[in-house]
Amino acid sequence: MKVTLVGAGPGASELLTRAAQEAIGGADLLLGAPRLLEPFRDGGIPCREGILARDLLSALRKEAPGKAVVLLSGDTGFYSGAKSLLALLAEAGIEAECLPGISSLQYLCARLCRPWEDVFSASAHGRACDPVSLLREHRTVFFLTGEKAGQTPGDLCRVLADRGFGEAKAWVGSRLSYAGESVTAGTAGSLAGQGFPSPSVLLVEREALFSPWPYATGIPNGEFLRGEGIPMTKEEVRAAALQKLRVAPGDILWDVGAGTGSVTVEMARLACRGRVFAVERLSAACALVRRNAQKFAVDRGVTLVEGEAPAALEALPPPDGVFLGGSGGSLRPILELVLKKNPRARVVVPAVTLETLGEAAALFRELPLGETSVTQVSVARAIVAGSSRLMKGQNPVFLFAGTGLGEEEP
């Protein structure tokens, strides 16, 4: 048995490549979703409906054709069922080949007479998708969408509009290549909540500069919402601490003692495909963290944990990096828990008081930490004194940074 996986394009049979047409014409059996099989039902070749890889494999084993063609929407390498089916075919020892097709991304961009080389692609069809984080990271994003709540073009546009991207340009392509095809243009705000025929896809493009600080750390202190008596890590210290943490886009991060949430916000901006757990024991501070996360459109990437460390950390996933802004006197047990969760975690501990300075210095010698460093951040800001300006020094902060030396569990 030989199985050919064919990218059937958006759906219309005239968009099939010649190689795909020849493979279909020489097949003993056609398999695929109902809408993809529809043009071939009267062609004399047996058709079997199936979408899931295991169902397709079961049908192939039952029918045992000499040559079989599996029709897959779009291109076989673009969010396609080909990936899982190829793995099952390989396990079963069945010979397989792939023929590419036209993806809905290619088709929609061609209809709009625009290139797609600069477009980031994502799928909201049956999987978690945060359109805000994606549009923050990439100027133009294409979404494969679904029919369920939260997956439709209107739902994705609603999320974007609610989180500050209502003016982003948006195009919805519906029933592409079929009778009744339509392309609806507007903004995320104007298309929010609208219904569109299935199948549909969404293309969104934001302004080149949507924020005064699109990439850099150290957001000015005055941009954050503040609360009386709730501490905030200042911009210069924030920038230095995040550099020490070496945050990657997919990192899982903890901000322990989140306070105002300034570090949480900057972490979430950098870990745009990861998740930040903001841990804070004060209810008023938790409310402030939530409001600042919403203001900077990172709330979908932040999980707020109200409680006291280390107990509040027990249920959290292993972190790649931890900023320990407040320990409540539990610095040692918190660090020990971090390294137990992930023996290779990166940690940064700021020390303002002499007591914390001495404790952190001892712990960074005793605990299994390598690549350790201690950096003093001393900042002075200009203040007006009559007709002159003077430099007023801020409290120095010592940043202890290190990486766990242990071995990660397999």
Side-chain angles (χ1 to χ4, degrees), residues 263-323:
V263 173
T264 292
V265 165
E266 298 234 39
M267 280 179 162
R269 284 161 56 88
L270 294 171
C272 49
R273 294 193 298 275
R275 178 147 294 272
V276 178
F277 292 85
V279 183
E280 175 56 55
R281 61 183 176 179
L282 300 177
S283 297
C286 288
L288 204 52
V289 172
R290 187 178 293 109
R291 290 172 61 201
N292 275 314
Q294 290 173 347
K295 176 181 178 180
F296 288 91
V298 297
D299 50 307
R300 289 173 68 91
V302 173
T303 297
L304 188 59
V305 181
E306 185 170 354
E308 191 160 356
L313 308 175
E314 290 285 355
L316 301 188
D320 297 295
V322 176
F323 179 78

Short mmCIF file of all heavy atoms in Angstrom, two decimals, residues 263-323:
data_model
loop_
_atom_site.label_atom_id
_atom_site.label_comp_id
_atom_site.label_asym_id
_atom_site.label_seq_id
_atom_site.Cartn_x
_atom_site.Cartn_y
_atom_site.Cartn_z
N VAL A 263 7.45 44.59 37.54
CA VAL A 263 8.30 43.51 37.04
C VAL A 263 7.44 42.48 36.30
O VAL A 263 7.84 41.95 35.25
CB VAL A 263 9.09 42.86 38.18
CG1 VAL A 263 9.84 41.62 37.69
CG2 VAL A 263 10.08 43.85 38.78
N THR A 264 6.27 42.18 36.83
CA THR A 264 5.36 41.24 36.17
C THR A 264 5.06 41.69 34.75
O THR A 264 5.12 40.89 33.80
CB THR A 264 4.04 41.14 36.96
OG1 THR A 264 4.28 40.52 38.21
CG2 THR A 264 3.01 40.33 36.20
N VAL A 265 4.75 42.96 34.58
CA VAL A 265 4.42 43.50 33.26
C VAL A 265 5.60 43.35 32.30
O VAL A 265 5.46 42.90 31.17
CB VAL A 265 3.99 44.98 33.36
CG1 VAL A 265 4.00 45.66 31.99
CG2 VAL A 265 2.61 45.09 33.99
N GLU A 266 6.78 43.73 32.77
CA GLU A 266 7.95 43.65 31.88
C GLU A 266 8.32 42.21 31.57
O GLU A 266 8.74 41.90 30.45
CB GLU A 266 9.12 44.40 32.51
CG GLU A 266 8.82 45.88 32.72
CD GLU A 266 9.86 46.78 32.10
OE1 GLU A 266 10.34 46.46 31.00
OE2 GLU A 266 10.20 47.79 32.73
N MET A 267 8.16 41.32 32.55
CA MET A 267 8.39 39.90 32.29
C MET A 267 7.44 39.40 31.20
O MET A 267 7.86 38.69 30.27
CB MET A 267 8.15 39.09 33.56
CG MET A 267 9.27 39.07 34.57
SD MET A 267 8.75 38.09 36.01
CE MET A 267 10.34 37.75 36.77
N ALA A 268 6.17 39.75 31.32
CA ALA A 268 5.16 39.26 30.37
C ALA A 268 5.39 39.81 28.98
O ALA A 268 5.10 39.14 27.99
CB ALA A 268 3.76 39.63 30.86
N ARG A 269 5.90 41.02 28.88
CA ARG A 269 6.22 41.58 27.56
C ARG A 269 7.35 40.81 26.89
O ARG A 269 7.35 40.62 25.68
CB ARG A 269 6.59 43.06 27.69
CG ARG A 269 5.40 43.98 27.92
CD ARG A 269 5.85 45.33 28.50
NE ARG A 269 6.84 45.99 27.68
CZ ARG A 269 6.57 46.82 26.66
NH1 ARG A 269 5.31 47.06 26.34
NH2 ARG A 269 7.53 47.39 25.98
N LEU A 270 8.32 40.37 27.69
CA LEU A 270 9.46 39.63 27.15
C LEU A 270 9.12 38.17 26.90
O LEU A 270 9.49 37.59 25.88
CB LEU A 270 10.65 39.73 28.10
CG LEU A 270 11.25 41.13 28.28
CD1 LEU A 270 12.27 41.13 29.40
CD2 LEU A 270 11.89 41.63 26.99
N ALA A 271 8.41 37.54 27.85
CA ALA A 271 8.02 36.13 27.72
C ALA A 271 6.65 36.08 27.02
O ALA A 271 5.67 35.59 27.58
CB ALA A 271 7.96 35.47 29.08
N CYS A 272 6.61 36.58 25.80
CA CYS A 272 5.33 36.78 25.10
C CYS A 272 4.65 35.46 24.75
O CYS A 272 3.44 35.44 24.49
CB CYS A 272 5.56 37.61 23.85
SG CYS A 272 6.92 37.03 22.82
N ARG A 273 5.38 34.35 24.72
CA ARG A 273 4.76 33.05 24.45
C ARG A 273 4.82 32.14 25.69
O ARG A 273 4.51 30.96 25.60
CB ARG A 273 5.45 32.37 23.27
CG ARG A 273 5.24 33.11 21.94
CD ARG A 273 5.67 32.24 20.76
NE ARG A 273 7.08 31.91 20.80
CZ ARG A 273 8.06 32.69 20.34
NH1 ARG A 273 7.76 33.86 19.80
NH2 ARG A 273 9.33 32.31 20.39
N GLY A 274 5.21 32.71 26.80
CA GLY A 274 5.30 31.94 28.03
C GLY A 274 4.19 32.33 28.99
O GLY A 274 3.08 32.67 28.58
N ARG A 275 4.51 32.33 30.28
CA ARG A 275 3.52 32.71 31.30
C ARG A 275 4.25 33.24 32.52
O ARG A 275 5.32 32.74 32.88
CB ARG A 275 2.64 31.53 31.68
CG ARG A 275 1.61 31.83 32.78
CD ARG A 275 0.35 31.05 32.60
NE ARG A 275 -0.38 31.42 31.40
CZ ARG A 275 -1.28 32.41 31.34
NH1 ARG A 275 -1.55 33.11 32.42
NH2 ARG A 275 -1.91 32.67 30.22
N VAL A 276 3.65 34.26 33.12
CA VAL A 276 4.20 34.87 34.33
C VAL A 276 3.24 34.63 35.48
O VAL A 276 2.03 34.90 35.35
CB VAL A 276 4.42 36.39 34.14
CG1 VAL A 276 4.95 37.01 35.44
CG2 VAL A 276 5.39 36.65 33.00
N PHE A 277 3.76 34.15 36.59
CA PHE A 277 2.97 33.95 37.80
C PHE A 277 3.36 35.04 38.78
O PHE A 277 4.49 35.07 39.28
CB PHE A 277 3.21 32.56 38.38
CG PHE A 277 2.68 31.45 37.51
CD1 PHE A 277 3.44 30.95 36.47
CD2 PHE A 277 1.40 30.94 37.71
CE1 PHE A 277 2.95 29.94 35.64
CE2 PHE A 277 0.90 29.95 36.90
CZ PHE A 277 1.67 29.45 35.86
N ALA A 278 2.43 35.97 39.02
CA ALA A 278 2.66 37.07 39.95
C ALA A 278 2.12 36.67 41.31
O ALA A 278 0.92 36.47 41.49
CB ALA A 278 1.96 38.33 39.45
N VAL A 279 3.02 36.53 42.28
CA VAL A 279 2.65 36.06 43.61
C VAL A 279 2.69 37.24 44.57
O VAL A 279 3.72 37.92 44.70
CB VAL A 279 3.60 34.95 44.08
CG1 VAL A 279 3.17 34.41 45.43
CG2 VAL A 279 3.66 33.83 43.04
N GLU A 280 1.57 37.49 45.24
CA GLU A 280 1.47 38.64 46.14
C GLU A 280 0.49 38.33 47.26
O GLU A 280 -0.57 37.75 47.03
CB GLU A 280 1.02 39.87 45.35
CG GLU A 280 0.76 41.11 46.16
CD GLU A 280 1.95 41.54 47.00
OE1 GLU A 280 3.05 41.72 46.42
OE2 GLU A 280 1.79 41.65 48.23
N ARG A 281 0.85 38.71 48.49
CA ARG A 281 0.00 38.38 49.64
C ARG A 281 -1.03 39.45 49.97
O ARG A 281 -2.03 39.18 50.64
CB ARG A 281 0.87 38.13 50.86
CG ARG A 281 1.72 39.31 51.30
CD ARG A 281 2.60 38.96 52.47
NE ARG A 281 3.47 40.07 52.84
CZ ARG A 281 4.34 40.03 53.86
NH1 ARG A 281 4.44 38.93 54.58
NH2 ARG A 281 5.09 41.08 54.12
N LEU A 282 -0.82 40.70 49.52
CA LEU A 282 -1.74 41.79 49.83
C LEU A 282 -2.82 41.92 48.77
O LEU A 282 -2.52 42.03 47.57
CB LEU A 282 -0.98 43.12 49.94
CG LEU A 282 0.13 43.19 51.00
CD1 LEU A 282 0.84 44.53 50.92
CD2 LEU A 282 -0.47 42.97 52.39
N SER A 283 -4.07 41.94 49.18
CA SER A 283 -5.19 42.03 48.24
C SER A 283 -5.14 43.32 47.42
O SER A 283 -5.41 43.32 46.22
CB SER A 283 -6.52 41.94 48.99
OG SER A 283 -6.66 40.69 49.62
N ALA A 284 -4.81 44.43 48.08
CA ALA A 284 -4.74 45.71 47.37
C ALA A 284 -3.66 45.68 46.29
O ALA A 284 -3.85 46.23 45.19
CB ALA A 284 -4.47 46.84 48.37
N ALA A 285 -2.54 45.03 46.59
CA ALA A 285 -1.47 44.92 45.60
C ALA A 285 -1.89 44.01 44.45
O ALA A 285 -1.58 44.28 43.28
CB ALA A 285 -0.19 44.39 46.25
N CYS A 286 -2.61 42.93 44.77
CA CYS A 286 -3.09 42.04 43.71
C CYS A 286 -4.00 42.78 42.74
O CYS A 286 -3.91 42.59 41.52
CB CYS A 286 -3.85 40.85 44.33
SG CYS A 286 -2.78 39.66 45.16
N ALA A 287 -4.87 43.62 43.27
CA ALA A 287 -5.75 44.41 42.41
C ALA A 287 -4.93 45.33 41.52
O ALA A 287 -5.27 45.55 40.34
CB ALA A 287 -6.73 45.21 43.27
N LEU A 288 -3.85 45.87 42.03
CA LEU A 288 -3.00 46.78 41.27
C LEU A 288 -2.24 46.02 40.18
O LEU A 288 -2.09 46.51 39.05
CB LEU A 288 -2.03 47.48 42.21
CG LEU A 288 -1.45 48.82 41.76
CD1 LEU A 288 -2.55 49.79 41.35
CD2 LEU A 288 -0.61 49.41 42.89
N VAL A 289 -1.74 44.83 40.52
CA VAL A 289 -1.08 43.99 39.51
C VAL A 289 -2.04 43.71 38.36
O VAL A 289 -1.68 43.81 37.18
CB VAL A 289 -0.59 42.67 40.14
CG1 VAL A 289 -0.07 41.73 39.04
CG2 VAL A 289 0.51 42.92 41.16
N ARG A 290 -3.26 43.37 38.70
CA ARG A 290 -4.27 43.05 37.68
C ARG A 290 -4.53 44.26 36.77
O ARG A 290 -4.58 44.14 35.54
CB ARG A 290 -5.56 42.60 38.35
CG ARG A 290 -6.62 42.09 37.38
CD ARG A 290 -7.85 41.62 38.11
NE ARG A 290 -7.58 40.43 38.92
CZ ARG A 290 -7.53 40.40 40.24
NH1 ARG A 290 -7.75 41.52 40.94
NH2 ARG A 290 -7.27 39.28 40.89
N ARG A 291 -4.66 45.44 37.37
CA ARG A 291 -4.95 46.65 36.59
C ARG A 291 -3.77 47.03 35.70
O ARG A 291 -3.96 47.43 34.55
CB ARG A 291 -5.30 47.79 37.53
CG ARG A 291 -6.65 47.63 38.23
CD ARG A 291 -6.83 48.71 39.29
NE ARG A 291 -6.81 50.04 38.69
CZ ARG A 291 -6.55 51.16 39.37
NH1 ARG A 291 -6.27 51.09 40.67
NH2 ARG A 291 -6.57 52.33 38.76
N ASN A 292 -2.55 46.90 36.19
CA ASN A 292 -1.38 47.23 35.38
C ASN A 292 -1.19 46.22 34.25
O ASN A 292 -0.80 46.59 33.13
CB ASN A 292 -0.13 47.31 36.25
CG ASN A 292 0.04 48.68 36.89
OD1 ASN A 292 -0.11 49.70 36.23
ND2 ASN A 292 0.32 48.71 38.18
N ALA A 293 -1.46 44.96 34.52
CA ALA A 293 -1.37 43.95 33.47
C ALA A 293 -2.38 44.25 32.36
O ALA A 293 -2.08 44.10 31.17
CB ALA A 293 -1.61 42.56 34.04
N GLN A 294 -3.57 44.68 32.73
CA GLN A 294 -4.58 45.04 31.72
C GLN A 294 -4.18 46.28 30.96
O GLN A 294 -4.34 46.37 29.74
CB GLN A 294 -5.93 45.26 32.41
CG GLN A 294 -6.56 43.98 32.94
CD GLN A 294 -7.80 44.24 33.77
OE1 GLN A 294 -8.08 45.37 34.17
NE2 GLN A 294 -8.55 43.18 34.07
N LYS A 295 -3.62 47.28 31.66
CA LYS A 295 -3.21 48.51 31.00
C LYS A 295 -2.18 48.25 29.91
O LYS A 295 -2.24 48.85 28.83
CB LYS A 295 -2.64 49.50 32.02
CG LYS A 295 -2.11 50.78 31.37
CD LYS A 295 -1.51 51.75 32.36
CE LYS A 295 -0.96 52.97 31.60
NZ LYS A 295 -0.37 53.98 32.52
N PHE A 296 -1.24 47.35 30.19
CA PHE A 296 -0.18 47.08 29.22
C PHE A 296 -0.50 45.87 28.33
O PHE A 296 0.37 45.37 27.63
CB PHE A 296 1.15 46.87 29.95
CG PHE A 296 1.73 48.14 30.50
CD1 PHE A 296 1.44 48.54 31.80
CD2 PHE A 296 2.53 48.95 29.72
CE1 PHE A 296 1.96 49.71 32.32
CE2 PHE A 296 3.05 50.13 30.21
CZ PHE A 296 2.77 50.52 31.52
N ALA A 297 -1.77 45.42 28.37
CA ALA A 297 -2.26 44.36 27.47
C ALA A 297 -1.46 43.07 27.59
O ALA A 297 -1.22 42.38 26.59
CB ALA A 297 -2.27 44.84 26.02
N VAL A 298 -1.07 42.72 28.81
CA VAL A 298 -0.34 41.46 29.03
C VAL A 298 -1.11 40.53 29.97
O VAL A 298 -0.58 39.51 30.39
CB VAL A 298 1.08 41.70 29.58
CG1 VAL A 298 1.93 42.48 28.60
CG2 VAL A 298 1.03 42.41 30.93
N ASP A 299 -2.35 40.89 30.30
CA ASP A 299 -3.08 40.15 31.33
C ASP A 299 -3.36 38.71 30.94
O ASP A 299 -3.47 37.84 31.81
CB ASP A 299 -4.39 40.86 31.69
CG ASP A 299 -5.21 41.23 30.48
OD1 ASP A 299 -4.66 41.88 29.57
OD2 ASP A 299 -6.39 40.86 30.41
N ARG A 300 -3.47 38.42 29.64
CA ARG A 300 -3.73 37.04 29.23
C ARG A 300 -2.49 36.15 29.42
O ARG A 300 -2.59 34.93 29.39
CB ARG A 300 -4.21 36.98 27.78
CG ARG A 300 -5.63 37.52 27.62
CD ARG A 300 -6.01 37.62 26.15
NE ARG A 300 -6.15 36.31 25.52
CZ ARG A 300 -7.28 35.62 25.46
NH1 ARG A 300 -8.37 36.08 26.01
NH2 ARG A 300 -7.32 34.46 24.83
N GLY A 301 -1.33 36.77 29.62
CA GLY A 301 -0.11 36.00 29.87
C GLY A 301 0.30 35.98 31.33
O GLY A 301 1.38 35.49 31.66
N VAL A 302 -0.56 36.53 32.20
CA VAL A 302 -0.23 36.63 33.63
C VAL A 302 -1.25 35.86 34.45
O VAL A 302 -2.46 35.99 34.25
CB VAL A 302 -0.21 38.12 34.07
CG1 VAL A 302 -0.05 38.22 35.59
CG2 VAL A 302 0.90 38.87 33.37
N THR A 303 -0.75 35.06 35.37
CA THR A 303 -1.60 34.38 36.35
C THR A 303 -1.31 34.99 37.71
O THR A 303 -0.16 34.94 38.18
CB THR A 303 -1.33 32.87 36.38
OG1 THR A 303 -1.67 32.30 35.11
CG2 THR A 303 -2.18 32.20 37.46
N LEU A 304 -2.32 35.56 38.34
CA LEU A 304 -2.16 36.19 39.64
C LEU A 304 -2.40 35.16 40.74
O LEU A 304 -3.42 34.46 40.74
CB LEU A 304 -3.14 37.35 39.78
CG LEU A 304 -2.99 38.25 40.99
CD1 LEU A 304 -1.62 38.88 41.03
CD2 LEU A 304 -4.07 39.32 40.98
N VAL A 305 -1.46 35.05 41.65
CA VAL A 305 -1.55 34.10 42.76
C VAL A 305 -1.55 34.89 44.06
O VAL A 305 -0.52 35.46 44.44
CB VAL A 305 -0.39 33.09 42.74
CG1 VAL A 305 -0.52 32.10 43.90
CG2 VAL A 305 -0.33 32.36 41.41
N GLU A 306 -2.70 34.95 44.73
CA GLU A 306 -2.77 35.69 45.99
C GLU A 306 -2.45 34.72 47.13
O GLU A 306 -3.15 33.75 47.36
CB GLU A 306 -4.16 36.30 46.19
CG GLU A 306 -4.25 37.18 47.42
CD GLU A 306 -5.54 37.98 47.50
OE1 GLU A 306 -6.31 37.94 46.52
OE2 GLU A 306 -5.75 38.65 48.53
N GLY A 307 -1.39 35.01 47.84
CA GLY A 307 -0.97 34.14 48.93
C GLY A 307 0.44 34.47 49.35
O GLY A 307 1.11 35.32 48.76
N GLU A 308 0.90 33.79 50.38
CA GLU A 308 2.22 34.06 50.93
C GLU A 308 3.18 32.95 50.55
O GLU A 308 2.86 31.76 50.67
CB GLU A 308 2.13 34.19 52.45
CG GLU A 308 3.41 34.72 53.08
CD GLU A 308 3.18 35.30 54.46
OE1 GLU A 308 2.02 35.35 54.90
OE2 GLU A 308 4.19 35.68 55.11
N ALA A 309 4.35 33.36 50.08
CA ALA A 309 5.39 32.39 49.73
C ALA A 309 6.07 31.92 51.02
O ALA A 309 6.16 32.66 51.99
CB ALA A 309 6.40 33.04 48.79
N PRO A 310 6.53 30.65 51.05
CA PRO A 310 6.62 29.71 49.93
C PRO A 310 5.38 28.86 49.69
O PRO A 310 5.30 28.18 48.67
CB PRO A 310 7.81 28.83 50.32
CG PRO A 310 7.76 28.82 51.82
CD PRO A 310 7.28 30.17 52.23
N ALA A 311 4.40 28.89 50.62
CA ALA A 311 3.23 28.01 50.46
C ALA A 311 2.51 28.28 49.15
O ALA A 311 2.05 27.35 48.48
CB ALA A 311 2.28 28.20 51.64
N ALA A 312 2.41 29.55 48.74
CA ALA A 312 1.69 29.90 47.52
C ALA A 312 2.39 29.42 46.25
O ALA A 312 1.80 29.43 45.17
CB ALA A 312 1.48 31.41 47.45
N LEU A 313 3.64 28.99 46.39
CA LEU A 313 4.42 28.56 45.22
C LEU A 313 4.33 27.06 44.95
O LEU A 313 4.74 26.60 43.88
CB LEU A 313 5.89 28.94 45.42
CG LEU A 313 6.19 30.39 45.79
CD1 LEU A 313 7.69 30.56 46.07
CD2 LEU A 313 5.74 31.34 44.70
N GLU A 314 3.84 26.33 45.91
CA GLU A 314 3.87 24.87 45.84
C GLU A 314 3.19 24.33 44.57
O GLU A 314 3.68 23.38 43.95
CB GLU A 314 3.20 24.26 47.07
CG GLU A 314 3.99 24.44 48.36
CD GLU A 314 5.19 23.52 48.46
OE1 GLU A 314 5.37 22.67 47.56
OE2 GLU A 314 5.95 23.65 49.45
N ALA A 315 2.06 24.91 44.20
CA ALA A 315 1.29 24.37 43.07
C ALA A 315 1.70 24.95 41.72
O ALA A 315 1.15 24.54 40.69
CB ALA A 315 -0.21 24.64 43.30
N LEU A 316 2.65 25.85 41.70
CA LEU A 316 3.05 26.49 40.45
C LEU A 316 3.96 25.57 39.63
O LEU A 316 4.69 24.75 40.17
CB LEU A 316 3.77 27.81 40.72
CG LEU A 316 2.99 28.87 41.51
CD1 LEU A 316 3.77 30.18 41.53
CD2 LEU A 316 1.61 29.08 40.91
N PRO A 317 3.94 25.73 38.30
CA PRO A 317 4.83 24.92 37.46
C PRO A 317 6.28 25.34 37.64
O PRO A 317 6.55 26.47 38.08
CB PRO A 317 4.35 25.23 36.04
CG PRO A 317 3.72 26.58 36.14
CD PRO A 317 3.08 26.63 37.51
N PRO A 318 7.24 24.48 37.35
CA PRO A 318 8.65 24.81 37.50
C PRO A 318 9.00 26.07 36.70
O PRO A 318 8.66 26.18 35.53
CB PRO A 318 9.37 23.58 36.95
CG PRO A 318 8.38 22.47 37.10
CD PRO A 318 7.04 23.09 36.88
N PRO A 319 9.69 27.01 37.33
CA PRO A 319 10.02 28.25 36.64
C PRO A 319 11.35 28.18 35.88
O PRO A 319 12.28 27.48 36.30
CB PRO A 319 10.12 29.25 37.78
CG PRO A 319 10.68 28.43 38.91
CD PRO A 319 10.10 27.04 38.74
N ASP A 320 11.42 28.92 34.80
CA ASP A 320 12.71 29.12 34.14
C ASP A 320 13.47 30.25 34.81
O ASP A 320 14.70 30.25 34.84
CB ASP A 320 12.50 29.44 32.65
CG ASP A 320 11.84 28.30 31.91
OD1 ASP A 320 12.48 27.24 31.80
OD2 ASP A 320 10.70 28.46 31.44
N GLY A 321 12.72 31.25 35.30
CA GLY A 321 13.35 32.38 35.96
C GLY A 321 12.48 32.91 37.08
O GLY A 321 11.25 32.84 36.99
N VAL A 322 13.11 33.42 38.12
CA VAL A 322 12.38 33.93 39.29
C VAL A 322 12.98 35.27 39.70
O VAL A 322 14.20 35.39 39.89
CB VAL A 322 12.44 32.94 40.47
CG1 VAL A 322 11.76 33.55 41.70
CG2 VAL A 322 11.81 31.62 40.10
N PHE A 323 12.11 36.26 39.88
CA PHE A 323 12.50 37.53 40.49
C PHE A 323 11.88 37.53 41.87
O PHE A 323 10.66 37.50 42.02
CB PHE A 323 12.00 38.72 39.68
CG PHE A 323 12.36 40.05 40.29
CD1 PHE A 323 13.63 40.56 40.16
CD2 PHE A 323 11.41 40.78 41.00
CE1 PHE A 323 13.98 41.78 40.73
CE2 PHE A 323 11.75 42.00 41.57
CZ PHE A 323 13.03 42.50 41.44
#
